[in-house]
């Protein structure tokens, strides 16, 4: 790694080829945010097709990895054979983050799901985590202790400090071993509830104190009076910039120009999808669709 690269923010994501357009939209959003900090997006490719496509594109500040790069580890190789594909993929966010934090010269690692889209620089989140070793975000619609978990894995940040590496290593091993059992009920997600009890509030930042974010499960919680002009959402007594959205379960058919906001997965949290009729929320999805179309035209239809 060059000296220049070691000074950049290190982000990471993962997907198979079916989510390549989302992953490229994430990359595009990172490039497009105004005055963004220098970054590298480390992309774990879950099949050969996505690895080949990203390799052919050869985009700047995008480093690609084969999943086989990680599977030289016997523990991970064993996990691959003792769980189904979906469950195995859940092991990789923590594992890939740990792999990068321990093998590269970056000061931190910032995991983000491939269907995240940023409107402001992720540096805002890193700045909010100053003095901490880890940053996690609430779902906002439920409580810590809920079966689905009080926190969401969409973005998770770790500092390359003794405590930051300890927290990340614990998460990786918890997902691999599915221990403790009471936190093993929701993929890799509910384990985040163990961070503060085990490592303390002094080490773990809940970014919701400073950072606004959206997702199908929490759009209904917001007031959008200041959104059109200022990009600000109201959440309880807080007014926050919307830094990113999580477009979970979004589906589209580009040939027919059809979209499905969440394939009905979150009907119980969106008032039967009526929340998407909120003009500000609808516009977010329209803009995301337009970004996906641009990704397809620019990079995937050559």
């Amino acid at each position: 790694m060059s000296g220049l690269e070691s000074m950049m923010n290190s982000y990471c994501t993962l997907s198979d080829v079916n989510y390549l357009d989302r992953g490229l939209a994430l990359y595009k959003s990172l490039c497009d945010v105004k005055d963004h900090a220098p970054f590298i997006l480390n992309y774990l490719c879950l099949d050969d097709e996505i690895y080949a496509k990203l390799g052919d594109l050869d985009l700047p500040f995008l480093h690609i990895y084969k999943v086989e790069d990680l599977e030289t580890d016997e523990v991970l190789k064993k996990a691959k054979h003792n769980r189904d594909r979906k469950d195995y993929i859940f092991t990789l966010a923590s594992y890939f983050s740990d792999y990068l934090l321990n093998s590269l010269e970056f000061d931190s690692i910032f995991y983000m799901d491939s269907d995240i889209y940023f409107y402001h620089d992720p540096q805002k989140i890193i700045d909010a985590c100053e003095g901490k070793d880890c940053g996690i975000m609430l779902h906002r619609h439920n409580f810590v202790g809920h079966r689905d978990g009080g926190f969401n894995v969409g973005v998770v940040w770790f500092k390359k400090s003794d405590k930051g590496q300890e927290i990340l290593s614990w998460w990786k091993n918890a997902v691999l071993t599915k221990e403790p059992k009471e936190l093993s009920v929701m993929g890799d997600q509910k384990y985040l509830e163990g961070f503060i009890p085990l490592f303390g509030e002094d080490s773990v930042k809940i970014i919701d104190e400073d950072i606004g974010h959206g997702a199908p499960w929490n759009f209904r919680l917001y007031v959008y009076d200041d959104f059109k002009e200022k990009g600000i959402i109201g959440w309880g007594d807080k007014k926050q910039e919307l830094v990113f959205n999580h477009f979970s379960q979004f589906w589209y058919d580009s040939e027919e120009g059809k979209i499905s906001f969440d394939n009905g997965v979150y009907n119980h949290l969106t008032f039967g999808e009526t929340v998407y009729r909120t003009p500000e929320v609808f516009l977010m999805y329209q803009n995301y669709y337009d970004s996906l179309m641009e990704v397809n035209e620019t990079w995937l239809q050559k």
Side-chain angles (χ1 to χ4, degrees):
M1 175 176 297
S2 70
L4 177 61
E5 288 178 336
S6 66
M7 297 171 63
M8 294 180 174
N9 286 337
S10 180
Y11 309 144
C12 69
T13 193
L14 57 87
S15 81
D16 61 16
V17 73
N18 296 312
Y19 260 57
L20 174 56
D21 54 349
R22 276 78 160 179
L24 285 171
L26 166 64
Y27 169 80
K28 178 181 181 298
S29 76
L30 295 170
C31 294
D32 287 351
V33 291
K34 185 179 179 181
D35 299 325
H36 66 77
F39 74 90
I40 289 175
L41 178 61
N42 300 280
Y43 205 120
L44 182 63
C45 302
L46 302 186
D47 55 49
D48 292 338
E49 188 175 356
I50 186 173
Y51 185 82
K53 286 178 179 287
L54 286 176
D56 289 342
L57 289 174
D58 193 25
L59 297 171
F61 310 122
L62 183 70
H63 288 185
I64 58 175
Y65 299 78
K66 289 186 174 182
V67 70
E68 288 83 2
D69 295 337
L70 276 64
E71 289 172 348
T72 57
D73 185 292
E74 290 300 322
V75 177
L76 184 62
K77 192 181 297 184
K78 181 179 179 181
K80 183 178 183 179
H81 295 290
N82 66 20
R83 57 197 71 185
D84 62 29
R85 175 172 170 76
K86 181 179 179 181
D87 202 14
Y88 177 62
I89 291 172
F90 281 139
T91 70
L92 295 175
S94 57
Y95 205 95
F96 188 42
S97 299
D98 185 76
Y99 171 85
L100 293 170
L101 193 62
N102 285 289
S103 63
L104 301 180
E105 298 175 6
F106 294 108
D107 294 332
S108 65
I109 191 69
F110 194 149
Y111 173 78
M112 45 192 67
D113 278 349
S114 58
D115 51 4
I116 297 283
Y117 195 90
F118 281 91
Y119 307 106
H120 296 279
D121 193 350
Q123 181 65 46
K124 287 180 176 285
I125 298 173
I126 297 173
D127 290 344
C129 294
E130 185 175 0
K132 305 287 187 177
D133 302 284
C134 171
I136 54 179
M137 69 169 176
L138 294 167
H139 273 120
R140 295 189 167 183
H141 73 288
N142 61 21
F143 54 90
V144 174
H146 189 280
R147 186 185 184 281
D148 292 344
F151 300 99
N152 182 262
V153 174
V155 301
V156 193
W157 175 85
F158 297 94
K159 184 179 181 180
K160 192 167 189 174
S161 61
D162 289 344
K163 185 61 69 73
Q165 290 175 292
E166 184 182 0
I167 298 169
L168 177 51
S169 179
W170 180 87
W171 183 33
K172 179 191 78 170
N173 290 324
V175 178
L176 280 168
T177 62
K178 298 189 177 184
E179 294 287 348
K181 294 297 185 188
E182 65 271 18
L183 300 181
S184 67
V185 295
M186 191 52 61
D188 57 354
Q189 183 164 270
K190 194 168 170 64
Y191 296 108
L192 303 185
E193 291 189 350
F195 287 9
I196 291 176
L198 289 170
F199 302 102
E201 293 181 352
D202 290 343
S203 293
V204 182
K205 170 73 174 183
I206 299 176
I207 68 170
D208 298 73
E209 298 164 16
D210 306 285
I211 301 296
H213 55 85
W217 47 84
N218 58 34
F219 285 134
R220 74 187 192 281
L221 306 179
Y222 299 149
V223 175
Y224 297 96
D225 294 348
D226 296 321
F227 187 75
K228 185 176 181 180
E229 298 298 326
K230 300 178 181 178
I232 290 175
I233 55 171
W235 176 50
D237 62 353
K238 295 181 181 293
K239 288 186 177 292
Q240 298 178 323
E241 283 185 321
L242 188 71
V243 176
F244 63 90
N245 258 325
H246 192 165
F247 290 96
S248 180
Q249 301 296 329
F250 179 75
W251 173 90
Y252 68 96
D253 183 328
S254 59
E255 291 185 2
E256 298 189 15
K258 294 180 179 180
I259 69 170
S260 174
F261 298 103
D262 62 21
N263 272 318
V265 172
Y266 302 113
N267 271 348
H268 60 303
L269 300 173
T270 62
F271 304 120
E273 297 196 355
T274 57
V275 73
Y276 301 118
R277 299 176 193 169
T278 307
E280 294 82 1
V281 176
F282 183 85
L283 181 60
M284 295 177 201
Y285 277 83
Q286 184 62 59
N287 290 341
Y288 187 57
Y289 176 79
D290 290 345
S291 182
L292 289 168
M293 292 304 97
E294 185 177 344
V295 161
N296 275 284
E297 292 170 8
T298 304
W299 289 320
L300 297 181
Q301 294 179 358
K302 293 183 177 181

